[in-house]
Amino acid sequence: NQLSGMTHASVPTLTTGHMPAGSVLQVVRSTNPADTNTSSTSYVTLASLTITPNSTTNEIHLSTAGGKMNHNIGISPSYWYAWFRGSTQISQNSFWGNVSMNTDWPLNTTGIDTPGVTTAVTYYFKGKVSAGSGWLMHDTANQPPLITATEIKA
């Protein structure tokens, strides 16, 4: 048996420098259990998280999952969702609602950023509506929206 007699002291430490390009280095998650209903046609913050990249060249993959968006407002709004690093917009996704529906739609969006720093970076997941008001983000069946930042080695 090749492992017999090994101790913790004899096992090499794996660092990010040993990992190949494309490796996942870290994952940060956050949830927003509060419902957010707005009539704002300007972006409002729905959730945020902070990650500290290991290298200035690594990518941060941003995503949302779970939760729902919904409307029942008598008009056909568009919903706009975007990822921001500070005031810099990283991505944008849009969804269209139908006036005759009071329906939940899955909330799944993505974004990719290379912040170019090794200090803490805060990302904001924001949303707005084209007109009227509607639920931008809400908990469905005890599944609050989950936002995730995943650092990928360059």
Side-chain angles (χ1 to χ4, degrees), residues 12-100:
T13 302
L14 179 64
T15 66
T16 58
H18 295 100
M19 300 178 79
S23 296
V24 172
L25 300 182
Q26 64 175 313
V27 177
V28 176
R29 293 186 174 111
S30 178
T31 61
N32 177 10
D35 287 350
T36 303
N37 187 353
T38 187
S39 59
S40 178
T41 56
S42 298
Y43 280 110
V44 295
T45 298
L46 303 173
S48 66
L49 53 71
T50 301
I51 188 169
T52 303
N54 288 284
S55 169
T56 58
T57 58
N58 292 346
E59 287 185 342
I60 307 296
H61 291 221
L62 305 161
S63 63
T64 60
K68 303 284 183 177
M69 58 181 167
N70 175 285
H71 82 35
N72 184 17
I73 56 179
I75 62 170
S76 297
S78 294
Y79 296 89
W80 298 88
Y81 294 91
W83 282 100
F84 286 79
R85 176 180 19 92
S87 61
T88 303
Q89 186 172 332
I90 305 302
S91 70
Q92 179 172 281
N93 301 90
S94 64
F95 303 90
W96 177 80
N98 184 311
V99 68
S100 64

